[in-house]
Amino acid sequence: HKAKVEAMTLDLASLQSVQHFAEAFKSKNVPLDILICNAAVFGAPWCLTEDDLESTFQVNHLGHFYLVQLLEDVLRRSSPARVVMVSSESHRFTDIKDSSGKLDFSLLSLSKKDYWAMLAYNRSKLCNILFSNELNRRLSPHGVTSNSVHPGNMIYSSIHRNWWVYTLLFTLARPFTKSM
C-alpha cells in the first residue's frame, strides 16, 4: 500500500529507446531487485526496425538482451537481484545451428525471403533461454540470478492479432488455456 509506481517508456524495437530508458532508470539511483523481460510480438509480418534488424528478433530478444547489458551494473549493486526472461515452450521447435552443428548467426535476424513468423518467434524465444542460462552462469557468483520461464500453453492475450489463422487457433484453444 505504500508502493510508488512510476511508468517509463521503452520501445524494444529501437535500441536507442532501450539506451535512453536505461540511462533514465540509472539516473533515478534506485535499486533494481527484479527485472522481468516479458515483451513479445508473435505472428508479425516481416519488417525491419529502425536498427535494420528483423522486428521479431529485436523486440523479443535483442532489445531485452541490450537492456540487461545496460543495467547489469545496477543489478549487481542491487544484489540479491533477479532477471526473469519470459520465453515459450515453442523454443523447442527450432535451432540456430547450421548443418555442421555450428551456431549460425544469420538465422537470427531473418531476411524477407527466409522469413516465417512462427520460426522467427521460436528462434527469438530460444535465444531468450540461452541468454538467461549464460547470464545466470556469469552473474550468479555476484548475487544476480537469471531464470527463463514458460508462462503456460497459449495463454490468451492479443499477441495473436497479426494473422487471422492465429486468432482462430487461439480462439478455439481459449476454453482450454489459462487466462491472464
Side-chain angles (χ1 to χ4, degrees):
H1 69 282
K2 293 182 181 179
K4 180 184 173 195
V5 177
E6 180 181 345
M8 296 175 64
T9 301
L10 171 61
D11 179 2
L12 294 167
S14 165
L15 296 179
Q16 183 177 12
S17 174
V18 174
Q19 184 176 10
H20 289 318
F21 175 90
E23 290 167 358
F25 182 85
K26 286 180 172 185
S27 74
K28 295 179 182 305
N29 202 26
V30 295
L32 181 56
D33 300 312
I34 185 165
L35 176 59
I36 302 173
C37 300
N38 185 34
V41 293
F42 172 82
W46 184 89
C47 71
L48 293 178
T49 64
E50 65 185 46
D51 302 300
D52 286 329
L53 294 163
E54 188 276 312
S55 63
T56 299
F57 175 64
Q58 182 166 335
V59 171
N60 293 5
H61 175 67
L62 194 60
H64 292 116
F65 176 88
Y66 189 43
L67 178 65
V68 172
Q69 297 304 305
L70 293 172
L71 295 177
E72 182 179 330
D73 58 332
V74 180
L75 287 162
R76 284 179 184 231
R77 282 195 309 271
S78 304
S79 174
R82 179 177 357 173
V83 176
V84 178
M85 296 295 300
V86 178
S87 187
S88 171
E89 187 71 21
S90 68
H91 82 277
R92 296 179 188 274
F93 305 110
T94 191
D95 204 346
I96 53 174
K97 295 180 182 173
D98 64 17
S99 58
S100 68
K102 293 183 179 181
L103 282 177
D104 185 352
F105 294 107
S106 70
L107 297 174
L108 299 179
S109 188
L110 296 169
S111 67
K112 189 171 186 173
K113 72 176 185 64
D114 295 325
Y115 185 79
W116 178 44
M118 192 72 205
L119 182 60
Y121 180 81
N122 294 353
R123 285 183 177 157
S124 70
K125 293 304 182 174
L126 175 58
C127 288
N128 288 160
I129 292 170
L130 295 173
F131 172 56
S132 179
N133 291 349
E134 182 61 18
L135 190 66
N136 191 66
R137 187 187 71 75
R138 290 182 185 202
L139 296 186
S140 62
H142 305 283
V144 180
T145 59
S146 179
N147 296 284
S148 56
V149 298
H150 170 57
N153 290 324
M154 295 180 71
I155 288 176
Y156 187 80
S157 70
S158 63
I159 197 169
H160 54 78
R161 69 186 171 277
N162 290 306
W163 193 34
W164 70 269
V165 173
Y166 292 131
T167 300
L168 177 63
L169 178 64
F170 276 67
T171 301
L172 293 173
R174 186 174 188 189
F176 310 102
T177 62
K178 297 175 183 179
S179 68
M180 295 300 262

Short mmCIF file of all heavy atoms in Angstrom, two decimals, residues 73-95:
data_model
loop_
_atom_site.label_atom_id
_atom_site.label_comp_id
_atom_site.label_asym_id
_atom_site.label_seq_id
_atom_site.Cartn_x
_atom_site.Cartn_y
_atom_site.Cartn_z
N ASP A 73 25.22 -3.36 -14.21
CA ASP A 73 25.87 -2.78 -13.03
C ASP A 73 24.86 -2.46 -11.93
O ASP A 73 25.14 -2.65 -10.74
CB ASP A 73 26.69 -1.54 -13.42
CG ASP A 73 25.86 -0.45 -14.09
OD1 ASP A 73 24.84 -0.78 -14.75
OD2 ASP A 73 26.23 0.73 -13.98
N VAL A 74 23.67 -2.02 -12.29
CA VAL A 74 22.63 -1.73 -11.30
C VAL A 74 22.16 -3.04 -10.65
O VAL A 74 21.96 -3.10 -9.43
CB VAL A 74 21.43 -0.99 -11.94
CG1 VAL A 74 20.36 -0.69 -10.90
CG2 VAL A 74 21.88 0.29 -12.62
N LEU A 75 22.00 -4.08 -11.44
CA LEU A 75 21.60 -5.37 -10.91
C LEU A 75 22.65 -5.88 -9.91
O LEU A 75 22.31 -6.35 -8.82
CB LEU A 75 21.42 -6.39 -12.03
CG LEU A 75 20.17 -6.22 -12.90
CD1 LEU A 75 20.31 -6.97 -14.21
CD2 LEU A 75 18.93 -6.67 -12.14
N ARG A 76 23.91 -5.76 -10.26
CA ARG A 76 24.98 -6.21 -9.35
C ARG A 76 24.97 -5.43 -8.04
O ARG A 76 25.13 -6.01 -6.96
CB ARG A 76 26.35 -6.07 -10.01
CG ARG A 76 26.65 -7.12 -11.05
CD ARG A 76 28.04 -6.85 -11.64
NE ARG A 76 28.36 -7.76 -12.70
CZ ARG A 76 29.50 -8.45 -12.75
NH1 ARG A 76 30.40 -8.33 -11.79
NH2 ARG A 76 29.74 -9.25 -13.75
N ARG A 77 24.79 -4.12 -8.12
CA ARG A 77 24.74 -3.30 -6.91
C ARG A 77 23.51 -3.61 -6.07
O ARG A 77 23.50 -3.36 -4.86
CB ARG A 77 24.75 -1.81 -7.26
CG ARG A 77 26.10 -1.26 -7.64
CD ARG A 77 26.13 0.26 -7.62
NE ARG A 77 25.06 0.89 -8.36
CZ ARG A 77 25.10 1.21 -9.66
NH1 ARG A 77 26.20 0.93 -10.37
NH2 ARG A 77 24.09 1.80 -10.24
N SER A 78 22.47 -4.14 -6.70
CA SER A 78 21.20 -4.42 -6.01
C SER A 78 21.15 -5.83 -5.43
O SER A 78 20.13 -6.25 -4.91
CB SER A 78 20.04 -4.24 -6.99
OG SER A 78 20.04 -2.95 -7.55
N SER A 79 22.23 -6.54 -5.52
CA SER A 79 22.28 -7.94 -5.08
C SER A 79 21.72 -8.09 -3.66
O SER A 79 22.01 -7.26 -2.80
CB SER A 79 23.74 -8.40 -5.13
OG SER A 79 23.86 -9.67 -4.58
N PRO A 80 20.90 -9.11 -3.43
CA PRO A 80 20.48 -10.14 -4.37
C PRO A 80 19.42 -9.60 -5.33
O PRO A 80 18.46 -8.94 -4.93
CB PRO A 80 19.89 -11.24 -3.48
CG PRO A 80 19.40 -10.50 -2.27
CD PRO A 80 20.32 -9.31 -2.10
N ALA A 81 19.62 -9.87 -6.60
CA ALA A 81 18.70 -9.41 -7.64
C ALA A 81 18.39 -10.58 -8.57
O ALA A 81 19.05 -11.61 -8.53
CB ALA A 81 19.32 -8.26 -8.43
N ARG A 82 17.39 -10.37 -9.41
CA ARG A 82 16.95 -11.47 -10.27
C ARG A 82 16.50 -10.92 -11.62
O ARG A 82 15.89 -9.86 -11.71
CB ARG A 82 15.77 -12.16 -9.60
CG ARG A 82 15.19 -13.28 -10.36
CD ARG A 82 14.07 -13.98 -9.62
NE ARG A 82 13.82 -13.49 -8.29
CZ ARG A 82 12.81 -13.87 -7.54
NH1 ARG A 82 11.97 -14.76 -7.99
NH2 ARG A 82 12.63 -13.39 -6.34
N VAL A 83 16.81 -11.67 -12.67
CA VAL A 83 16.32 -11.39 -14.02
C VAL A 83 15.44 -12.57 -14.42
O VAL A 83 15.83 -13.73 -14.26
CB VAL A 83 17.48 -11.24 -15.03
CG1 VAL A 83 16.94 -11.04 -16.45
CG2 VAL A 83 18.40 -10.09 -14.63
N VAL A 84 14.26 -12.27 -14.91
CA VAL A 84 13.34 -13.30 -15.39
C VAL A 84 13.10 -13.06 -16.87
O VAL A 84 12.61 -12.00 -17.25
CB VAL A 84 12.00 -13.28 -14.62
CG1 VAL A 84 11.05 -14.33 -15.17
CG2 VAL A 84 12.24 -13.50 -13.13
N MET A 85 13.45 -14.04 -17.69
CA MET A 85 13.20 -13.97 -19.13
C MET A 85 11.97 -14.82 -19.43
O MET A 85 11.99 -16.04 -19.22
CB MET A 85 14.39 -14.54 -19.91
CG MET A 85 15.69 -13.78 -19.76
SD MET A 85 15.67 -12.11 -20.41
CE MET A 85 15.30 -12.40 -22.11
N VAL A 86 10.91 -14.20 -19.90
CA VAL A 86 9.72 -14.95 -20.27
C VAL A 86 9.93 -15.47 -21.68
O VAL A 86 10.12 -14.71 -22.62
CB VAL A 86 8.44 -14.08 -20.17
CG1 VAL A 86 7.22 -14.88 -20.61
CG2 VAL A 86 8.26 -13.58 -18.74
N SER A 87 9.94 -16.78 -21.79
CA SER A 87 10.19 -17.43 -23.06
C SER A 87 8.93 -18.15 -23.52
O SER A 87 7.83 -17.68 -23.26
CB SER A 87 11.38 -18.38 -22.93
OG SER A 87 11.74 -18.89 -24.19
N SER A 88 9.11 -19.27 -24.17
CA SER A 88 7.97 -20.03 -24.67
C SER A 88 8.38 -21.47 -24.91
O SER A 88 9.52 -21.75 -25.28
CB SER A 88 7.48 -19.43 -25.98
OG SER A 88 6.51 -20.27 -26.58
N GLU A 89 7.43 -22.36 -24.70
CA GLU A 89 7.65 -23.77 -24.99
C GLU A 89 8.01 -23.97 -26.47
O GLU A 89 8.69 -24.93 -26.82
CB GLU A 89 6.39 -24.56 -24.65
CG GLU A 89 6.53 -26.05 -24.75
CD GLU A 89 7.39 -26.65 -23.65
OE1 GLU A 89 7.57 -26.03 -22.60
OE2 GLU A 89 7.91 -27.76 -23.88
N SER A 90 7.61 -23.05 -27.31
CA SER A 90 7.87 -23.19 -28.74
C SER A 90 9.35 -23.08 -29.09
O SER A 90 9.74 -23.35 -30.23
CB SER A 90 7.05 -22.18 -29.55
OG SER A 90 7.50 -20.88 -29.30
N HIS A 91 10.18 -22.72 -28.13
CA HIS A 91 11.63 -22.68 -28.39
C HIS A 91 12.14 -24.06 -28.80
O HIS A 91 13.17 -24.18 -29.45
CB HIS A 91 12.39 -22.20 -27.15
CG HIS A 91 12.63 -23.28 -26.14
ND1 HIS A 91 11.67 -23.64 -25.20
CD2 HIS A 91 13.68 -24.09 -25.95
CE1 HIS A 91 12.15 -24.63 -24.47
NE2 HIS A 91 13.37 -24.92 -24.89
N ARG A 92 11.41 -25.10 -28.44
CA ARG A 92 11.84 -26.47 -28.72
C ARG A 92 11.74 -26.83 -30.21
O ARG A 92 12.29 -27.82 -30.64
CB ARG A 92 10.99 -27.47 -27.94
CG ARG A 92 11.12 -27.36 -26.45
CD ARG A 92 10.22 -28.37 -25.75
NE ARG A 92 10.19 -28.15 -24.33
CZ ARG A 92 11.09 -28.65 -23.47
NH1 ARG A 92 12.09 -29.37 -23.92
NH2 ARG A 92 10.98 -28.40 -22.20
N PHE A 93 11.03 -26.01 -30.97
CA PHE A 93 10.75 -26.35 -32.37
C PHE A 93 11.64 -25.61 -33.35
O PHE A 93 11.24 -25.33 -34.48
CB PHE A 93 9.27 -26.10 -32.67
CG PHE A 93 8.37 -26.84 -31.73
CD1 PHE A 93 7.63 -26.16 -30.79
CD2 PHE A 93 8.29 -28.23 -31.77
CE1 PHE A 93 6.80 -26.84 -29.90
CE2 PHE A 93 7.48 -28.91 -30.88
CZ PHE A 93 6.73 -28.22 -29.95
N THR A 94 12.85 -25.29 -32.92
CA THR A 94 13.79 -24.61 -33.81
C THR A 94 15.21 -24.86 -33.35
O THR A 94 15.44 -25.44 -32.29
CB THR A 94 13.51 -23.10 -33.87
OG1 THR A 94 14.27 -22.53 -34.95
CG2 THR A 94 13.88 -22.40 -32.58
N ASP A 95 16.14 -24.41 -34.15
CA ASP A 95 17.55 -24.50 -33.82
C ASP A 95 18.23 -23.29 -34.45
O ASP A 95 17.69 -22.67 -35.37
CB ASP A 95 18.16 -25.79 -34.37
CG ASP A 95 19.40 -26.22 -33.61
OD1 ASP A 95 19.95 -25.41 -32.83
OD2 ASP A 95 19.83 -27.36 -33.80
#
